[in-house]
Amino acid sequence: MDFSFDVILRNMPYLLAGARWTLVLSLTGISLSVVLGVFICAARISAKGLLRRAAAVYISAFRGIPLLVQLLLFYYLLPEIGLDLPALAAAILAIGMCSAAYVAEILRGALQSIPAGQTEAAEALGIPPVALWRRILVPQALRLGLPSLVNELILLVKVSSLASVVGIGELTRVAQNITGQTYRPLEIYLAAAAVYFVINFTLSQLGRMAERRLRLD
């Protein structure tokens, strides 16, 4: 089979359209995971044993079950309990909740590197716990954990391909559909791989720029 760049050029607009949904899944998923991760992290290091145990169970469960199984569970289980969400919403929820377990651990590690004196000083000044987290702890944890959070976002871009199993037209699903029509898997999957590389390379460079900027501030 002769390699044809023309096949790639003709189908690149469709692959880029699929890449848009890949980005939607990934960026929305990481946003949800950061929000949930903050609360799970707070519970994980809470003085209350019940909260610590609940957070530990959450983290163990979502880290121990493959994301593909979680996607299928969310897609098929939610309608059974009265939550008939669109496939895209179910996939974002599954990806976000799974990633939140990893983000919580990233933030916990970052928080442990913050000097305890800051918390003690805030408590001595009478700063409420919510303000302590919102103004002091979370901003520093996000800053310290930024490299790991960028890596988590890049990972989400790659694992978002699993959403194809519930019918979402992201990049991998589009590549599969085009391959079924053109019978040119080599060209199409190489093009899809190139698009994934460009997305992740761009995200990694943006992450490095953000790190350098934060170091200068």
Side-chain angles (χ1 to χ4, degrees), residues 20-216:
R20 180 187 64 179
W21 291 111
T22 293
L23 285 171
V24 168
L25 281 167
S26 306
L27 295 175
T28 310
I30 194 68
S31 300
L32 176 61
S33 70
V34 169
V35 173
L36 291 176
V38 169
F39 289 100
I40 297 166
C41 175
R44 187 73 177 87
I45 62 176
S46 171
K48 298 181 179 179
L50 180 60
L51 287 178
R52 286 201 311 274
R53 287 191 292 272
V57 169
Y58 180 100
I59 291 170
S60 296
F62 279 91
R63 292 174 70 181
I65 301 173
L67 179 56
L68 178 59
V69 176
Q70 293 180 42
L71 279 165
L72 292 172
L73 281 174
F74 273 75
Y75 184 69
Y76 290 109
L77 179 62
L78 290 179
E80 296 294 327
I81 60 175
L83 294 175
D84 193 7
L85 297 177
L88 180 62
I92 289 172
L93 188 60
I95 290 172
M97 292 186 68
C98 177
S99 178
Y102 295 91
V103 169
E105 289 296 275
I106 291 171
L107 294 177
R108 186 165 72 96
L111 286 171
Q112 289 175 343
S113 66
I114 298 175
Q118 293 191 24
T119 302
E120 294 169 0
E123 292 174 348
L125 292 171
I127 297 177
V130 174
L132 170 64
W133 274 83
R134 183 169 60 88
R135 296 182 179 180
I136 300 174
L137 296 180
V138 172
Q140 289 189 79
L142 291 175
R143 180 174 179 172
L144 293 169
L146 181 60
S148 297
L149 291 174
V150 172
N151 288 337
E152 180 67 14
L153 174 56
I154 290 173
L155 178 63
L156 288 188
V157 171
K158 292 186 286 187
V159 301
S160 66
S161 61
L162 297 175
S164 61
V165 300
V166 294
I168 296 174
E170 46 70 59
L171 180 54
T172 297
R173 180 60 179 261
V174 171
Q176 291 172 336
N177 292 341
I178 296 173
T179 297
Q181 295 170 1
T182 62
Y183 300 100
R184 307 290 296 199
L186 179 60
E187 291 91 336
I188 299 304
Y189 287 123
L190 277 176
V195 174
Y196 275 117
F197 173 78
V198 169
I199 291 173
N200 285 329
F201 181 77
T202 302
L203 291 174
S204 66
Q205 293 304 306
L206 291 173
R208 289 177 184 174
M209 289 171 57
E211 289 176 51
R212 288 196 295 268
R213 190 166 202 176
L214 289 172
R215 281 199 297 266
L216 293 173

